[in-house]
Short mmCIF file of all heavy atoms in Angstrom, two decimals:
data_model
loop_
_atom_site.label_atom_id
_atom_site.label_comp_id
_atom_site.label_asym_id
_atom_site.label_seq_id
_atom_site.Cartn_x
_atom_site.Cartn_y
_atom_site.Cartn_z
N ALA Q 1 -21.88 -9.89 87.87
CA ALA Q 1 -22.42 -11.07 87.25
C ALA Q 1 -23.92 -11.18 87.48
O ALA Q 1 -24.64 -11.58 86.58
CB ALA Q 1 -21.70 -12.30 87.79
N LYS Q 2 -24.38 -10.81 88.68
CA LYS Q 2 -25.81 -10.87 88.96
C LYS Q 2 -26.59 -9.96 88.02
O LYS Q 2 -27.68 -10.31 87.57
CB LYS Q 2 -26.11 -10.46 90.41
CG LYS Q 2 -25.88 -11.53 91.42
CD LYS Q 2 -26.32 -11.02 92.78
CE LYS Q 2 -26.31 -12.10 93.81
NZ LYS Q 2 -26.83 -11.63 95.09
N ALA Q 3 -26.03 -8.79 87.74
CA ALA Q 3 -26.71 -7.85 86.85
C ALA Q 3 -26.82 -8.43 85.44
O ALA Q 3 -27.85 -8.28 84.78
CB ALA Q 3 -25.96 -6.52 86.82
N HIS Q 4 -25.78 -9.11 84.99
CA HIS Q 4 -25.83 -9.74 83.67
C HIS Q 4 -26.88 -10.85 83.64
O HIS Q 4 -27.62 -10.99 82.67
CB HIS Q 4 -24.46 -10.29 83.28
CG HIS Q 4 -23.43 -9.24 83.06
ND1 HIS Q 4 -23.53 -8.29 82.07
CD2 HIS Q 4 -22.28 -8.98 83.72
CE1 HIS Q 4 -22.48 -7.50 82.12
NE2 HIS Q 4 -21.71 -7.89 83.13
N PHE Q 5 -26.93 -11.63 84.72
CA PHE Q 5 -27.92 -12.70 84.79
C PHE Q 5 -29.32 -12.12 84.77
O PHE Q 5 -30.19 -12.58 84.02
CB PHE Q 5 -27.71 -13.55 86.05
CG PHE Q 5 -28.59 -14.77 86.11
CD1 PHE Q 5 -28.15 -15.97 85.58
CD2 PHE Q 5 -29.85 -14.72 86.68
CE1 PHE Q 5 -28.95 -17.11 85.62
CE2 PHE Q 5 -30.66 -15.84 86.73
CZ PHE Q 5 -30.20 -17.04 86.18
N ALA Q 6 -29.54 -11.09 85.58
CA ALA Q 6 -30.86 -10.46 85.65
C ALA Q 6 -31.28 -9.85 84.31
O ALA Q 6 -32.46 -9.82 83.98
CB ALA Q 6 -30.87 -9.39 86.73
N ALA Q 7 -30.29 -9.39 83.54
CA ALA Q 7 -30.57 -8.80 82.23
C ALA Q 7 -30.62 -9.85 81.13
O ALA Q 7 -30.72 -9.50 79.95
CB ALA Q 7 -29.50 -7.75 81.91
N ALA Q 8 -30.54 -11.10 81.50
CA ALA Q 8 -30.55 -12.23 80.56
C ALA Q 8 -29.35 -12.21 79.62
O ALA Q 8 -29.40 -12.74 78.52
CB ALA Q 8 -31.86 -12.30 79.78
N ASP Q 9 -28.26 -11.60 80.07
CA ASP Q 9 -27.00 -11.61 79.31
C ASP Q 9 -26.16 -12.76 79.88
O ASP Q 9 -25.18 -12.55 80.59
CB ASP Q 9 -26.29 -10.27 79.45
CG ASP Q 9 -25.05 -10.16 78.59
OD1 ASP Q 9 -24.73 -11.12 77.85
OD2 ASP Q 9 -24.39 -9.10 78.64
N TYR Q 10 -26.60 -13.98 79.58
CA TYR Q 10 -26.05 -15.16 80.23
C TYR Q 10 -24.60 -15.45 79.85
O TYR Q 10 -23.83 -15.90 80.69
CB TYR Q 10 -26.93 -16.37 79.96
CG TYR Q 10 -28.35 -16.17 80.44
CD1 TYR Q 10 -29.42 -16.22 79.55
CD2 TYR Q 10 -28.61 -15.88 81.77
CE1 TYR Q 10 -30.72 -16.01 79.99
CE2 TYR Q 10 -29.90 -15.67 82.22
CZ TYR Q 10 -30.95 -15.74 81.32
OH TYR Q 10 -32.22 -15.52 81.76
N LYS Q 11 -24.23 -15.17 78.62
CA LYS Q 11 -22.83 -15.41 78.23
C LYS Q 11 -21.88 -14.52 79.03
O LYS Q 11 -20.82 -14.95 79.46
CB LYS Q 11 -22.66 -15.23 76.73
CG LYS Q 11 -23.35 -16.34 75.94
CD LYS Q 11 -22.89 -16.38 74.52
CE LYS Q 11 -23.63 -17.43 73.75
NZ LYS Q 11 -23.08 -18.76 73.92
N GLU Q 12 -22.27 -13.27 79.23
CA GLU Q 12 -21.44 -12.36 80.02
C GLU Q 12 -21.46 -12.78 81.50
O GLU Q 12 -20.44 -12.68 82.18
CB GLU Q 12 -21.91 -10.92 79.87
CG GLU Q 12 -20.97 -9.90 80.45
CD GLU Q 12 -19.58 -9.90 79.81
OE1 GLU Q 12 -19.45 -10.19 78.60
OE2 GLU Q 12 -18.61 -9.61 80.54
N ALA Q 13 -22.60 -13.27 81.97
CA ALA Q 13 -22.68 -13.76 83.35
C ALA Q 13 -21.74 -14.94 83.55
O ALA Q 13 -21.04 -15.01 84.57
CB ALA Q 13 -24.12 -14.16 83.69
N VAL Q 14 -21.69 -15.86 82.58
CA VAL Q 14 -20.77 -17.00 82.67
C VAL Q 14 -19.33 -16.50 82.75
O VAL Q 14 -18.54 -17.00 83.56
CB VAL Q 14 -20.95 -17.97 81.48
CG1 VAL Q 14 -19.79 -18.95 81.39
CG2 VAL Q 14 -22.26 -18.73 81.60
N ALA Q 15 -19.00 -15.51 81.94
CA ALA Q 15 -17.64 -14.97 81.96
C ALA Q 15 -17.31 -14.38 83.33
O ALA Q 15 -16.23 -14.62 83.88
CB ALA Q 15 -17.47 -13.93 80.86
N CYS Q 16 -18.25 -13.63 83.89
CA CYS Q 16 -18.02 -13.01 85.21
C CYS Q 16 -17.92 -14.05 86.32
O CYS Q 16 -17.02 -13.98 87.16
CB CYS Q 16 -19.13 -12.02 85.52
SG CYS Q 16 -19.08 -10.53 84.51
N TYR Q 17 -18.85 -15.00 86.31
CA TYR Q 17 -18.79 -16.06 87.32
C TYR Q 17 -17.53 -16.91 87.15
O TYR Q 17 -16.94 -17.36 88.13
CB TYR Q 17 -20.03 -16.95 87.28
CG TYR Q 17 -21.29 -16.27 87.80
CD1 TYR Q 17 -22.46 -16.26 87.05
CD2 TYR Q 17 -21.31 -15.67 89.04
CE1 TYR Q 17 -23.61 -15.66 87.52
CE2 TYR Q 17 -22.45 -15.05 89.53
CZ TYR Q 17 -23.60 -15.06 88.76
OH TYR Q 17 -24.74 -14.46 89.24
N GLY Q 18 -17.11 -17.12 85.92
CA GLY Q 18 -15.87 -17.85 85.67
C GLY Q 18 -14.67 -17.13 86.25
O GLY Q 18 -13.77 -17.76 86.83
N SER Q 19 -14.64 -15.81 86.10
CA SER Q 19 -13.56 -15.01 86.69
C SER Q 19 -13.59 -15.11 88.21
O SER Q 19 -12.54 -15.21 88.86
CB SER Q 19 -13.69 -13.54 86.27
OG SER Q 19 -13.48 -13.42 84.89
N ALA Q 20 -14.79 -15.07 88.78
CA ALA Q 20 -14.91 -15.19 90.24
C ALA Q 20 -14.43 -16.56 90.71
O ALA Q 20 -13.74 -16.67 91.72
CB ALA Q 20 -16.36 -14.96 90.66
N LEU Q 21 -14.78 -17.59 89.94
CA LEU Q 21 -14.35 -18.94 90.29
C LEU Q 21 -12.82 -19.05 90.24
O LEU Q 21 -12.20 -19.63 91.13
CB LEU Q 21 -14.99 -19.96 89.35
CG LEU Q 21 -14.72 -21.42 89.65
CD1 LEU Q 21 -15.23 -21.80 91.03
CD2 LEU Q 21 -15.37 -22.29 88.58
N ALA Q 22 -12.23 -18.46 89.22
CA ALA Q 22 -10.77 -18.48 89.11
C ALA Q 22 -10.13 -17.74 90.28
O ALA Q 22 -9.13 -18.20 90.85
CB ALA Q 22 -10.33 -17.87 87.78
N ALA Q 23 -10.70 -16.61 90.65
CA ALA Q 23 -10.16 -15.84 91.78
C ALA Q 23 -10.30 -16.63 93.08
O ALA Q 23 -9.37 -16.65 93.90
CB ALA Q 23 -10.87 -14.50 91.90
N LEU Q 24 -11.43 -17.28 93.27
CA LEU Q 24 -11.61 -18.09 94.47
C LEU Q 24 -10.66 -19.27 94.48
O LEU Q 24 -10.12 -19.63 95.52
CB LEU Q 24 -13.06 -18.59 94.57
CG LEU Q 24 -14.08 -17.59 95.04
CD1 LEU Q 24 -15.49 -18.15 94.87
CD2 LEU Q 24 -13.84 -17.22 96.48
N GLY Q 25 -10.47 -19.87 93.32
CA GLY Q 25 -9.58 -21.02 93.22
C GLY Q 25 -8.16 -20.69 93.58
O GLY Q 25 -7.45 -21.48 94.18
N SER Q 26 -7.74 -19.46 93.25
CA SER Q 26 -6.37 -19.08 93.54
C SER Q 26 -6.19 -18.61 94.97
O SER Q 26 -5.08 -18.56 95.47
CB SER Q 26 -5.90 -17.98 92.58
OG SER Q 26 -6.64 -16.80 92.79
N SER Q 27 -7.31 -18.28 95.65
CA SER Q 27 -7.17 -17.77 97.02
C SER Q 27 -7.76 -18.70 98.07
O SER Q 27 -7.59 -18.46 99.25
CB SER Q 27 -7.85 -16.40 97.14
OG SER Q 27 -9.25 -16.53 96.95
N CYS Q 28 -8.45 -19.75 97.66
CA CYS Q 28 -9.08 -20.65 98.63
C CYS Q 28 -8.06 -21.54 99.31
O CYS Q 28 -7.16 -22.06 98.67
CB CYS Q 28 -10.11 -21.55 97.95
SG CYS Q 28 -11.66 -20.72 97.61
N SER Q 29 -8.27 -21.70 100.57
CA SER Q 29 -7.50 -22.71 101.31
C SER Q 29 -8.47 -23.83 101.63
O SER Q 29 -9.60 -23.84 101.16
CB SER Q 29 -6.93 -22.10 102.59
OG SER Q 29 -7.98 -21.73 103.46
N SER Q 30 -8.09 -24.75 102.42
CA SER Q 30 -8.97 -25.86 102.75
C SER Q 30 -9.89 -25.55 103.92
O SER Q 30 -10.52 -26.43 104.47
CB SER Q 30 -8.14 -27.10 103.06
OG SER Q 30 -7.30 -26.85 104.17
N THR Q 31 -9.99 -24.28 104.29
CA THR Q 31 -10.85 -23.93 105.42
C THR Q 31 -12.30 -23.88 104.98
O THR Q 31 -12.62 -23.62 103.83
CB THR Q 31 -10.47 -22.55 106.00
OG1 THR Q 31 -10.72 -21.55 105.02
CG2 THR Q 31 -9.02 -22.51 106.42
N SER Q 32 -13.19 -24.11 105.91
CA SER Q 32 -14.62 -24.09 105.60
C SER Q 32 -15.12 -22.68 105.32
O SER Q 32 -16.18 -22.51 104.74
CB SER Q 32 -15.42 -24.72 106.74
OG SER Q 32 -15.24 -23.98 107.93
N ALA Q 33 -14.36 -21.67 105.69
CA ALA Q 33 -14.78 -20.29 105.44
C ALA Q 33 -14.88 -19.99 103.95
O ALA Q 33 -15.63 -19.13 103.53
CB ALA Q 33 -13.80 -19.31 106.11
N SER Q 34 -14.13 -20.71 103.14
CA SER Q 34 -14.17 -20.47 101.70
C SER Q 34 -15.33 -21.18 101.03
O SER Q 34 -15.65 -20.90 99.89
CB SER Q 34 -12.85 -20.90 101.07
OG SER Q 34 -12.68 -22.30 101.23
N SER Q 35 -15.99 -22.10 101.72
CA SER Q 35 -17.04 -22.91 101.11
C SER Q 35 -18.26 -22.11 100.67
O SER Q 35 -18.73 -22.31 99.55
CB SER Q 35 -17.46 -24.03 102.05
OG SER Q 35 -16.40 -24.93 102.23
N PRO Q 36 -18.84 -21.22 101.50
CA PRO Q 36 -20.04 -20.51 101.03
C PRO Q 36 -19.83 -19.70 99.75
O PRO Q 36 -20.63 -19.82 98.82
CB PRO Q 36 -20.42 -19.64 102.22
CG PRO Q 36 -19.89 -20.38 103.40
CD PRO Q 36 -18.58 -20.98 102.90
N PRO Q 37 -18.77 -18.90 99.63
CA PRO Q 37 -18.60 -18.16 98.37
C PRO Q 37 -18.35 -19.10 97.18
O PRO Q 37 -18.89 -18.87 96.09
CB PRO Q 37 -17.38 -17.27 98.60
CG PRO Q 37 -17.18 -17.23 100.06
CD PRO Q 37 -17.77 -18.49 100.62
N LEU Q 38 -17.59 -20.14 97.39
CA LEU Q 38 -17.30 -21.08 96.32
C LEU Q 38 -18.59 -21.79 95.89
O LEU Q 38 -18.88 -21.90 94.69
CB LEU Q 38 -16.25 -22.09 96.76
CG LEU Q 38 -15.87 -23.16 95.74
CD1 LEU Q 38 -15.36 -22.53 94.45
CD2 LEU Q 38 -14.83 -24.10 96.33
N THR Q 39 -19.37 -22.23 96.85
CA THR Q 39 -20.63 -22.89 96.54
C THR Q 39 -21.55 -21.95 95.78
O THR Q 39 -22.18 -22.35 94.78
CB THR Q 39 -21.32 -23.38 97.83
OG1 THR Q 39 -20.44 -24.27 98.51
CG2 THR Q 39 -22.62 -24.09 97.53
N ALA Q 40 -21.64 -20.70 96.21
CA ALA Q 40 -22.51 -19.73 95.54
C ALA Q 40 -22.11 -19.52 94.09
O ALA Q 40 -22.97 -19.49 93.20
CB ALA Q 40 -22.49 -18.41 96.31
N VAL Q 41 -20.83 -19.37 93.84
CA VAL Q 41 -20.36 -19.17 92.46
C VAL Q 41 -20.65 -20.40 91.61
O VAL Q 41 -21.13 -20.28 90.48
CB VAL Q 41 -18.85 -18.80 92.42
CG1 VAL Q 41 -18.32 -18.82 91.00
CG2 VAL Q 41 -18.64 -17.43 93.05
N LEU Q 42 -20.41 -21.57 92.15
CA LEU Q 42 -20.68 -22.81 91.40
C LEU Q 42 -22.18 -22.94 91.10
O LEU Q 42 -22.57 -23.31 89.99
CB LEU Q 42 -20.18 -24.02 92.18
CG LEU Q 42 -18.66 -24.14 92.29
CD1 LEU Q 42 -18.29 -25.19 93.33
CD2 LEU Q 42 -18.05 -24.47 90.94
N LEU Q 43 -23.02 -22.63 92.08
CA LEU Q 43 -24.46 -22.69 91.86
C LEU Q 43 -24.92 -21.65 90.84
O LEU Q 43 -25.79 -21.93 90.01
CB LEU Q 43 -25.21 -22.50 93.18
CG LEU Q 43 -25.12 -23.67 94.16
CD1 LEU Q 43 -25.71 -23.28 95.51
CD2 LEU Q 43 -25.81 -24.89 93.59
N ASN Q 44 -24.34 -20.47 90.89
CA ASN Q 44 -24.69 -19.45 89.92
C ASN Q 44 -24.24 -19.83 88.51
O ASN Q 44 -24.96 -19.57 87.53
CB ASN Q 44 -24.12 -18.09 90.32
CG ASN Q 44 -24.82 -17.52 91.53
OD1 ASN Q 44 -25.94 -17.89 91.85
ND2 ASN Q 44 -24.15 -16.63 92.23
N LEU Q 45 -23.09 -20.45 88.40
CA LEU Q 45 -22.65 -20.95 87.09
C LEU Q 45 -23.62 -22.02 86.59
O LEU Q 45 -23.98 -22.04 85.41
CB LEU Q 45 -21.23 -21.51 87.19
CG LEU Q 45 -20.12 -20.49 87.00
CD1 LEU Q 45 -18.79 -21.04 87.50
CD2 LEU Q 45 -20.02 -20.07 85.55
N SER Q 46 -24.05 -22.89 87.48
CA SER Q 46 -25.00 -23.92 87.09
C SER Q 46 -26.30 -23.30 86.60
O SER Q 46 -26.82 -23.67 85.54
CB SER Q 46 -25.27 -24.86 88.27
OG SER Q 46 -26.18 -25.86 87.90
N ALA Q 47 -26.83 -22.35 87.34
CA ALA Q 47 -28.09 -21.69 86.96
C ALA Q 47 -27.95 -20.98 85.61
O ALA Q 47 -28.87 -21.01 84.78
CB ALA Q 47 -28.51 -20.69 88.03
N THR Q 48 -26.81 -20.36 85.39
CA THR Q 48 -26.59 -19.65 84.14
C THR Q 48 -26.54 -20.61 82.97
O THR Q 48 -27.13 -20.36 81.91
CB THR Q 48 -25.30 -18.80 84.22
OG1 THR Q 48 -25.40 -17.94 85.37
CG2 THR Q 48 -25.12 -17.94 83.00
N HIS Q 49 -25.88 -21.73 83.16
CA HIS Q 49 -25.82 -22.73 82.09
C HIS Q 49 -27.19 -23.36 81.83
O HIS Q 49 -27.50 -23.72 80.69
CB HIS Q 49 -24.76 -23.79 82.39
CG HIS Q 49 -23.37 -23.31 82.11
ND1 HIS Q 49 -22.89 -23.07 80.84
CD2 HIS Q 49 -22.35 -22.98 82.95
CE1 HIS Q 49 -21.65 -22.65 80.90
NE2 HIS Q 49 -21.30 -22.58 82.17
N VAL Q 50 -28.01 -23.48 82.87
CA VAL Q 50 -29.39 -23.95 82.66
C VAL Q 50 -30.10 -22.98 81.72
O VAL Q 50 -30.76 -23.40 80.76
CB VAL Q 50 -30.15 -24.07 84.00
CG1 VAL Q 50 -31.66 -24.21 83.77
CG2 VAL Q 50 -29.64 -25.25 84.81
N GLN Q 51 -29.95 -21.69 81.97
CA GLN Q 51 -30.61 -20.69 81.13
C GLN Q 51 -30.10 -20.73 79.69
O GLN Q 51 -30.84 -20.42 78.76
CB GLN Q 51 -30.41 -19.28 81.71
CG GLN Q 51 -31.13 -19.06 83.02
CD GLN Q 51 -32.63 -19.23 82.88
OE1 GLN Q 51 -33.25 -18.78 81.94
NE2 GLN Q 51 -33.22 -19.94 83.84
N LEU Q 52 -28.84 -21.09 79.51
CA LEU Q 52 -28.26 -21.19 78.17
C LEU Q 52 -28.61 -22.51 77.49
O LEU Q 52 -28.28 -22.71 76.32
CB LEU Q 52 -26.74 -21.04 78.24
CG LEU Q 52 -26.23 -19.63 78.53
CD1 LEU Q 52 -24.74 -19.67 78.87
CD2 LEU Q 52 -26.49 -18.71 77.34
N GLY Q 53 -29.25 -23.41 78.22
CA GLY Q 53 -29.59 -24.72 77.67
C GLY Q 53 -28.40 -25.65 77.58
O GLY Q 53 -28.39 -26.60 76.80
N GLU Q 54 -27.39 -25.39 78.38
CA GLU Q 54 -26.16 -26.19 78.39
C GLU Q 54 -26.18 -27.13 79.60
O GLU Q 54 -25.53 -26.90 80.62
CB GLU Q 54 -24.94 -25.27 78.41
CG GLU Q 54 -24.88 -24.39 77.17
CD GLU Q 54 -23.80 -23.34 77.21
OE1 GLU Q 54 -23.23 -23.07 78.29
OE2 GLU Q 54 -23.53 -22.76 76.14
N ALA Q 55 -26.97 -28.19 79.45
CA ALA Q 55 -27.23 -29.10 80.57
C ALA Q 55 -25.96 -29.75 81.13
O ALA Q 55 -25.81 -29.87 82.35
CB ALA Q 55 -28.22 -30.18 80.14
N GLU Q 56 -25.07 -30.15 80.25
CA GLU Q 56 -23.86 -30.83 80.73
C GLU Q 56 -23.05 -29.93 81.65
O GLU Q 56 -22.58 -30.36 82.71
CB GLU Q 56 -23.00 -31.26 79.54
CG GLU Q 56 -21.80 -32.08 79.92
CD GLU Q 56 -21.02 -32.58 78.71
OE1 GLU Q 56 -21.65 -32.91 77.68
OE2 GLU Q 56 -19.79 -32.61 78.79
N HIS Q 57 -22.90 -28.68 81.26
CA HIS Q 57 -22.16 -27.72 82.10
C HIS Q 57 -22.93 -27.45 83.40
O HIS Q 57 -22.33 -27.37 84.48
CB HIS Q 57 -21.92 -26.41 81.37
CG HIS Q 57 -21.00 -26.54 80.20
ND1 HIS Q 57 -19.67 -26.86 80.32
CD2 HIS Q 57 -21.23 -26.39 78.87
CE1 HIS Q 57 -19.11 -26.91 79.13
NE2 HIS Q 57 -20.05 -26.62 78.23
N ALA Q 58 -24.24 -27.31 83.29
CA ALA Q 58 -25.06 -27.04 84.48
C ALA Q 58 -24.93 -28.16 85.50
O ALA Q 58 -24.75 -27.90 86.70
CB ALA Q 58 -26.52 -26.86 84.07
N VAL Q 59 -24.99 -29.40 85.03
CA VAL Q 59 -24.86 -30.54 85.94
C VAL Q 59 -23.47 -30.61 86.55
O VAL Q 59 -23.31 -30.88 87.74
CB VAL Q 59 -25.21 -31.86 85.21
CG1 VAL Q 59 -24.84 -33.07 86.03
CG2 VAL Q 59 -26.69 -31.88 84.84
N ARG Q 60 -22.45 -30.31 85.73
CA ARG Q 60 -21.07 -30.36 86.24
C ARG Q 60 -20.87 -29.36 87.38
O ARG Q 60 -20.29 -29.69 88.41
CB ARG Q 60 -20.09 -30.08 85.10
CG ARG Q 60 -18.64 -30.16 85.55
CD ARG Q 60 -17.70 -29.92 84.42
NE ARG Q 60 -18.08 -28.67 83.75
CZ ARG Q 60 -17.36 -28.09 82.80
NH1 ARG Q 60 -16.25 -28.64 82.40
NH2 ARG Q 60 -17.75 -26.97 82.26
N TYR Q 61 -21.37 -28.12 87.21
CA TYR Q 61 -21.20 -27.12 88.26
C TYR Q 61 -22.06 -27.43 89.48
O TYR Q 61 -21.65 -27.20 90.61
CB TYR Q 61 -21.48 -25.71 87.73
CG TYR Q 61 -20.36 -25.20 86.87
CD1 TYR Q 61 -20.56 -24.95 85.51
CD2 TYR Q 61 -19.09 -24.99 87.38
CE1 TYR Q 61 -19.52 -24.49 84.71
CE2 TYR Q 61 -18.04 -24.54 86.59
CZ TYR Q 61 -18.27 -24.29 85.26
OH TYR Q 61 -17.23 -23.84 84.47
N ALA Q 62 -23.25 -27.99 89.27
CA ALA Q 62 -24.09 -28.39 90.39
C ALA Q 62 -23.42 -29.50 91.19
O ALA Q 62 -23.43 -29.49 92.43
CB ALA Q 62 -25.46 -28.84 89.90
N ALA Q 63 -22.81 -30.45 90.49
CA ALA Q 63 -22.09 -31.54 91.16
C ALA Q 63 -20.89 -31.01 91.95
O ALA Q 63 -20.62 -31.47 93.07
CB ALA Q 63 -21.64 -32.59 90.15
N ALA Q 64 -20.20 -30.05 91.38
CA ALA Q 64 -19.06 -29.45 92.08
C ALA Q 64 -19.53 -28.73 93.34
O ALA Q 64 -18.88 -28.82 94.39
CB ALA Q 64 -18.31 -28.49 91.16
N ALA Q 65 -20.66 -28.02 93.24
CA ALA Q 65 -21.21 -27.34 94.42
C ALA Q 65 -21.60 -28.35 95.48
O ALA Q 65 -21.36 -28.15 96.68
CB ALA Q 65 -22.41 -26.49 94.02
N SER Q 66 -22.18 -29.46 95.06
CA SER Q 66 -22.57 -30.51 95.99
C SER Q 66 -21.35 -31.13 96.66
O SER Q 66 -21.40 -31.51 97.84
CB SER Q 66 -23.37 -31.58 95.25
OG SER Q 66 -23.82 -32.56 96.14
N ALA Q 67 -20.25 -31.23 95.94
CA ALA Q 67 -19.03 -31.78 96.52
C ALA Q 67 -18.46 -30.85 97.59
O ALA Q 67 -17.93 -31.30 98.60
CB ALA Q 67 -17.98 -32.02 95.43
N VAL Q 68 -18.61 -29.54 97.36
CA VAL Q 68 -18.12 -28.56 98.34
C VAL Q 68 -19.05 -28.51 99.55
O VAL Q 68 -18.60 -28.42 100.68
CB VAL Q 68 -18.02 -27.15 97.69
CG1 VAL Q 68 -17.70 -26.09 98.72
CG2 VAL Q 68 -16.97 -27.15 96.59
N GLU Q 69 -20.34 -28.56 99.27
CA GLU Q 69 -21.35 -28.49 100.34
C GLU Q 69 -22.38 -29.60 100.13
O GLU Q 69 -23.42 -29.39 99.50
CB GLU Q 69 -22.03 -27.12 100.31
CG GLU Q 69 -22.91 -26.87 101.50
CD GLU Q 69 -23.53 -25.48 101.47
OE1 GLU Q 69 -22.90 -24.53 100.99
OE2 GLU Q 69 -24.67 -25.38 101.93
N PRO Q 70 -22.09 -30.80 100.64
CA PRO Q 70 -22.94 -31.97 100.39
C PRO Q 70 -24.40 -31.80 100.81
O PRO Q 70 -25.29 -32.44 100.25
CB PRO Q 70 -22.27 -33.09 101.18
CG PRO Q 70 -20.85 -32.65 101.30
CD PRO Q 70 -20.89 -31.15 101.39
N SER Q 71 -24.67 -30.93 101.77
CA SER Q 71 -26.04 -30.75 102.25
C SER Q 71 -26.84 -29.75 101.41
O SER Q 71 -27.99 -29.46 101.72
CB SER Q 71 -26.04 -30.29 103.71
OG SER Q 71 -25.42 -29.02 103.81
N SER Q 72 -26.26 -29.26 100.34
CA SER Q 72 -26.91 -28.24 99.52
C SER Q 72 -28.07 -28.81 98.70
O SER Q 72 -27.85 -29.54 97.73
CB SER Q 72 -25.90 -27.58 98.59
OG SER Q 72 -26.56 -26.69 97.71
N SER Q 73 -29.27 -28.47 99.08
CA SER Q 73 -30.44 -28.90 98.30
C SER Q 73 -30.51 -28.12 97.00
O SER Q 73 -31.03 -28.61 96.00
CB SER Q 73 -31.73 -28.72 99.11
OG SER Q 73 -31.89 -27.38 99.50
N LYS Q 74 -29.97 -26.91 97.01
CA LYS Q 74 -29.98 -26.10 95.80
C LYS Q 74 -29.13 -26.74 94.70
O LYS Q 74 -29.47 -26.67 93.52
CB LYS Q 74 -29.47 -24.68 96.11
CG LYS Q 74 -29.79 -23.69 95.01
CD LYS Q 74 -29.29 -22.29 95.36
CE LYS Q 74 -30.33 -21.56 96.16
NZ LYS Q 74 -29.99 -20.12 96.33
N ALA Q 75 -28.05 -27.40 95.07
CA ALA Q 75 -27.21 -28.09 94.07
C ALA Q 75 -28.00 -29.20 93.42
O ALA Q 75 -27.95 -29.36 92.18
CB ALA Q 75 -25.95 -28.62 94.73
N ALA Q 76 -28.74 -29.96 94.19
CA ALA Q 76 -29.56 -31.04 93.63
C ALA Q 76 -30.65 -30.46 92.73
O ALA Q 76 -30.95 -31.00 91.67
CB ALA Q 76 -30.18 -31.86 94.74
N PHE Q 77 -31.22 -29.35 93.14
CA PHE Q 77 -32.26 -28.69 92.34
C PHE Q 77 -31.71 -28.21 91.01
O PHE Q 77 -32.33 -28.40 89.97
CB PHE Q 77 -32.85 -27.51 93.14
CG PHE Q 77 -33.91 -26.76 92.39
CD1 PHE Q 77 -35.17 -27.31 92.18
CD2 PHE Q 77 -33.66 -25.48 91.92
CE1 PHE Q 77 -36.14 -26.61 91.49
CE2 PHE Q 77 -34.63 -24.77 91.24
CZ PHE Q 77 -35.88 -25.34 91.02
N ARG Q 78 -30.52 -27.60 91.03
CA ARG Q 78 -29.91 -27.12 89.78
C ARG Q 78 -29.64 -28.29 88.83
O ARG Q 78 -29.87 -28.19 87.64
CB ARG Q 78 -28.60 -26.39 90.07
CG ARG Q 78 -28.73 -25.12 90.84
CD ARG Q 78 -29.12 -23.96 89.95
NE ARG Q 78 -28.87 -22.71 90.62
CZ ARG Q 78 -29.80 -22.02 91.28
NH1 ARG Q 78 -31.03 -22.45 91.35
NH2 ARG Q 78 -29.49 -20.88 91.87
N ALA Q 79 -29.14 -29.39 89.36
CA ALA Q 79 -28.88 -30.56 88.52
C ALA Q 79 -30.18 -31.10 87.93
O ALA Q 79 -30.22 -31.48 86.77
CB ALA Q 79 -28.17 -31.63 89.34
N ALA Q 80 -31.24 -31.09 88.72
CA ALA Q 80 -32.52 -31.58 88.23
C ALA Q 80 -33.09 -30.68 87.14
O ALA Q 80 -33.71 -31.16 86.20
CB ALA Q 80 -33.51 -31.70 89.39
N LEU Q 81 -32.88 -29.38 87.26
CA LEU Q 81 -33.35 -28.45 86.23
C LEU Q 81 -32.66 -28.69 84.90
O LEU Q 81 -33.27 -28.47 83.84
CB LEU Q 81 -33.10 -26.99 86.66
CG LEU Q 81 -34.02 -26.41 87.69
CD1 LEU Q 81 -33.57 -24.99 88.05
CD2 LEU Q 81 -35.46 -26.39 87.20
N ALA Q 82 -31.41 -29.10 84.96
CA ALA Q 82 -30.65 -29.30 83.72
C ALA Q 82 -31.20 -30.50 82.98
O ALA Q 82 -31.24 -30.57 81.80
CB ALA Q 82 -29.18 -29.49 84.04
#
């Protein structure tokens, strides 16, 4: 997904990050160990939607990242970019 993002292939990046989110969703428990990967995927989805000009989606994923990790300044930044 990072390679797609770096190549500005944002639609493919969304698809890859979406797959990662689905995989995390099916394997995550309520432990804090799952929070960093989940937060990273949500933030990356937000950044990708910002690049696509899809503000509503970008804000939604930033808010989800903030819910997982309330202290995340990056989540607030992503929402502000949208």
Side-chain angles (χ1 to χ4, degrees):
K2 280 185 172 184
H4 294 297
F5 187 90
D9 186 1
Y10 302 120
K11 290 195 183 277
E12 191 61 32
V14 166
C16 290
Y17 288 128
S19 294
L21 185 60
L24 282 170
S26 65
S27 65
C28 282
S29 65
S30 61
T31 65
S32 61
S34 64
S35 294
L38 178 58
T39 302
V41 171
L42 291 167
L43 289 171
N44 289 338
L45 273 164
S46 180
T48 305
H49 282 291
V50 166
Q51 292 299 317
L52 288 168
E54 298 173 346
E56 185 176 324
H57 294 294
V59 169
R60 182 179 52 172
Y61 285 115
S66 183
V68 172
E69 189 178 326
S71 64
S72 174
S73 58
K74 195 179 273 189
F77 179 73
R78 294 279 196 263
L81 284 177

